[in-house]
Amino acid sequence: MVLALAALGGAYLGPHRAAIRVTQGDPAAGRAVMRAYGCASCHTIPGVPGARATVGPPLTGLARRSVLAGLLANNPQNLERWIENPHAILADTDMPDMGVTPTDARNIAAYLYTLH
Protein backbone atom coordinates (compact mmCIF):
# COMPACT_ATOMS: atom_id res chain seq x y z
CA MET A 1 0.00 0.00 0.00
CA VAL A 2 2.74 2.48 0.91
CA LEU A 3 4.64 1.68 -2.29
CA ALA A 4 1.50 2.25 -4.35
CA LEU A 5 0.92 5.63 -2.70
CA ALA A 6 4.54 6.63 -3.21
CA ALA A 7 4.32 5.64 -6.88
CA LEU A 8 1.13 7.66 -7.30
CA GLY A 9 2.70 10.66 -5.59
CA GLY A 10 5.69 10.50 -7.90
CA ALA A 11 3.46 10.21 -10.97
CA TYR A 12 1.43 13.19 -9.78
CA LEU A 13 4.48 15.39 -9.24
CA GLY A 14 6.05 14.46 -12.59
CA PRO A 15 3.56 16.34 -14.79
CA HIS A 16 3.50 19.24 -12.34
CA ARG A 17 7.27 19.63 -12.38
CA ALA A 18 7.35 19.43 -16.16
CA ALA A 19 4.54 22.01 -16.45
CA ILE A 20 6.34 24.40 -14.11
CA ARG A 21 9.57 23.95 -16.06
CA VAL A 22 8.05 24.72 -19.49
CA THR A 23 5.73 27.54 -18.41
CA GLN A 24 7.41 29.07 -15.36
CA GLY A 25 3.87 29.15 -13.96
CA ASP A 26 2.13 27.78 -10.90
CA PRO A 27 -0.30 24.95 -11.70
CA ALA A 28 -2.14 25.28 -8.36
CA ALA A 29 -2.72 28.99 -8.92
CA GLY A 30 -3.82 28.26 -12.49
CA ARG A 31 -6.37 25.72 -11.32
CA ALA A 32 -7.79 28.24 -8.85
CA VAL A 33 -8.06 31.13 -11.31
CA MET A 34 -9.74 28.95 -13.93
CA ARG A 35 -12.73 28.84 -11.63
CA ALA A 36 -12.58 32.61 -11.07
CA TYR A 37 -12.50 33.33 -14.82
CA GLY A 38 -15.43 31.00 -15.46
CA CYS A 39 -13.60 28.47 -17.63
CA ALA A 40 -15.79 25.76 -16.14
CA SER A 41 -18.84 27.41 -17.71
CA CYS A 42 -17.78 26.11 -21.14
CA HIS A 43 -15.15 23.40 -20.67
CA THR A 44 -14.73 20.03 -19.03
CA ILE A 45 -11.52 20.41 -17.05
CA PRO A 46 -10.16 17.51 -14.99
CA GLY A 47 -9.41 18.54 -11.42
CA VAL A 48 -11.58 21.67 -11.51
CA PRO A 49 -14.74 21.17 -9.45
CA GLY A 50 -17.91 21.56 -11.48
CA ALA A 51 -16.05 21.83 -14.80
CA ARG A 52 -18.16 19.43 -16.83
CA ALA A 53 -19.56 21.77 -19.48
CA THR A 54 -19.62 20.85 -23.15
CA VAL A 55 -19.99 24.26 -24.84
CA GLY A 56 -16.26 24.42 -25.59
CA PRO A 57 -13.93 21.48 -26.14
CA PRO A 58 -12.87 19.36 -23.18
CA LEU A 59 -9.41 20.28 -21.92
CA THR A 60 -8.63 16.70 -20.95
CA GLY A 61 -5.21 15.65 -22.24
CA LEU A 62 -4.28 19.14 -23.41
CA ALA A 63 -0.59 18.52 -22.73
CA ARG A 64 -0.53 15.73 -25.35
CA ARG A 65 -2.17 17.71 -28.15
CA SER A 66 -0.12 18.94 -31.07
CA VAL A 67 -2.47 21.80 -31.98
CA LEU A 68 -4.40 24.42 -30.02
CA ALA A 69 -7.61 26.05 -31.27
CA GLY A 70 -7.27 24.05 -34.47
CA LEU A 71 -4.35 26.12 -35.79
CA LEU A 72 -1.63 26.92 -33.25
CA ALA A 73 1.31 24.69 -32.40
CA ASN A 74 0.85 23.53 -28.82
CA ASN A 75 3.54 25.38 -26.90
CA PRO A 76 3.38 27.54 -23.77
CA GLN A 77 3.66 30.85 -25.61
CA ASN A 78 0.79 30.06 -27.97
CA LEU A 79 -1.38 28.69 -25.18
CA GLU A 80 -0.81 31.80 -23.07
CA ARG A 81 -1.56 34.10 -26.04
CA TRP A 82 -4.75 32.15 -26.77
CA ILE A 83 -5.92 32.33 -23.15
CA GLU A 84 -5.18 36.06 -22.88
CA ASN A 85 -6.70 37.22 -26.16
CA PRO A 86 -8.28 34.53 -28.34
CA HIS A 87 -9.80 37.05 -30.77
CA ALA A 88 -6.35 38.41 -31.67
CA ILE A 89 -5.54 34.93 -32.99
CA LEU A 90 -8.89 33.85 -34.42
CA ALA A 91 -11.32 36.75 -34.86
CA ASP A 92 -14.46 34.61 -35.16
CA THR A 93 -13.77 32.23 -32.29
CA ASP A 94 -16.51 31.51 -29.79
CA MET A 95 -13.93 31.66 -27.00
CA PRO A 96 -14.63 34.86 -25.09
CA ASP A 97 -11.97 37.35 -24.05
CA MET A 98 -12.21 37.05 -20.27
CA GLY A 99 -9.57 39.69 -19.48
CA VAL A 100 -7.05 37.11 -18.32
CA THR A 101 -3.82 38.75 -17.14
CA PRO A 102 -0.44 37.55 -18.43
CA THR A 103 0.40 36.07 -15.02
CA ASP A 104 -2.91 34.24 -14.79
CA ALA A 105 -2.54 32.99 -18.38
CA ARG A 106 0.89 31.58 -17.49
CA ASN A 107 -0.54 29.86 -14.41
CA ILE A 108 -3.54 28.49 -16.33
CA ALA A 109 -1.18 27.16 -19.00
CA ALA A 110 0.88 25.53 -16.25
CA TYR A 111 -2.20 23.75 -14.93
CA LEU A 112 -3.37 22.70 -18.38
CA TYR A 113 0.06 21.22 -19.11
CA THR A 114 -0.42 18.88 -16.15
CA LEU A 115 -3.34 17.28 -18.00
CA HIS A 116 -1.93 14.28 -19.84
Side-chain angles (χ1 to χ4, degrees):
M1 178 77 166
V2 173
L3 289 176
L5 290 174
L8 285 174
Y12 179 76
L13 290 176
H16 279 69
R17 287 185 183 133
I20 291 166
R21 187 172 49 253
V22 299
T23 63
Q24 300 301 304
D26 178 346
R31 179 177 176 252
V33 298
M34 289 179 82
R35 292 186 70 198
Y37 282 112
C39 303
S41 298
C42 294
H43 297 282
T44 296
I45 312 163
V48 176
R52 292 187 179 91
T54 58
V55 175
L59 301 181
T60 306
L62 187 127
R64 294 182 309 214
R65 298 179 190 176
S66 58
V67 178
L68 302 168
L71 63 123
L72 297 171
N74 186 358
N75 63 53
Q77 297 78 21
N78 284 340
L79 182 54
E80 290 170 32
R81 284 178 40 230
W82 176 254
I83 293 167
E84 281 183 60
N85 190 355
H87 293 276
I89 296 166
L90 188 61
D92 64 348
T93 183
D94 290 332
M95 172 108 163
D97 181 346
M98 299 301 290
V100 179
T101 68
T103 298
D104 286 345
R106 183 179 321 108
N107 292 335
I108 291 169
Y111 181 71
L112 293 175
Y113 280 132
T114 69
L115 304 177
H116 287 270

